[in-house]
Amino acid sequence: MRTGNPVLNDSTFDGAAMTGERRMTLTGTVNATLMLVTLLLAAAMYTWNKFAVDPGGTMVWVSGAAITGLILALVTVFKKEWAVWTGSLYAIAQGLLLGGLSAMYEAQFNGIVLQAVLLTAGVLFALLAAYSMRLIKATENFKLGVAAATGGIFLVYLATWILGFFGVQIPWIHESGAVGIGISVFVVIVAALNLVLDFDFIEQGCEHGAPKHMEWFAAFGLLVTLVWLYIEILRLLSKLARRD
């Protein structure tokens, strides 16, 4: 099994099969995902409301949440059995991050956050429906292509972040011209296709009898993709708004 999601990778379910009664189920994974999304939304409301009265202080929360989320993600990847706790804390950290980030974009472009939320939810349910009806199949070549594209995007973003410390900006990525918008559209598509791979990977885990705690780990991995997709849609909409 191959997936572009760095959390749900080929080795995620290695050694996870069990013979006991408590096994990973699709229903349990959905419930865990809903719980993580609820925690994320609750935390997002805090920094969203805080931004209105203290923008500078909110950005401190956002920076701290970004670092904390990264640490929690790494811990969860290496300690999958802790996912119910670390995944929940990760959802809260990402909520604090997205709440402040969304408020910042909303202050510049009125209505952009609602559009991004609706588009993210629309993409999620549309792809889930298409996958459930087998209109989209995660073949090995499909998985390989999405994984390669995801890896390429990660390397470009990493290079952009490192070069930023030296005052070097990679052209087009953050610009609102045709090329910049095209890049964002491509990244959004790749992020969306990762959802298909995640659905397939979770289904495979259930079929292989992974232990119960893997429901939370799978939900955490799906949340990673959803957060990425939302941020990329938000960035794309902001570029389109700047062209108006």
Side-chain angles (χ1 to χ4, degrees), residues 170-191:
I170 297 180
W172 303 313
I173 291 181
H174 302 294
E175 297 175 2
S176 58
V179 176
I181 290 175
I183 292 174
S184 284
V185 169
F186 173 75
V187 175
V188 167
I189 292 173
V190 172

Side-chain angles (χ1 to χ4, degrees), residues 135-153:
L135 298 178
I136 299 178
K137 296 182 180 179
T139 64
E140 285 304 312
N141 287 336
F142 179 84
K143 296 175 185 179
L144 181 61
V146 174
T150 303
I153 291 169

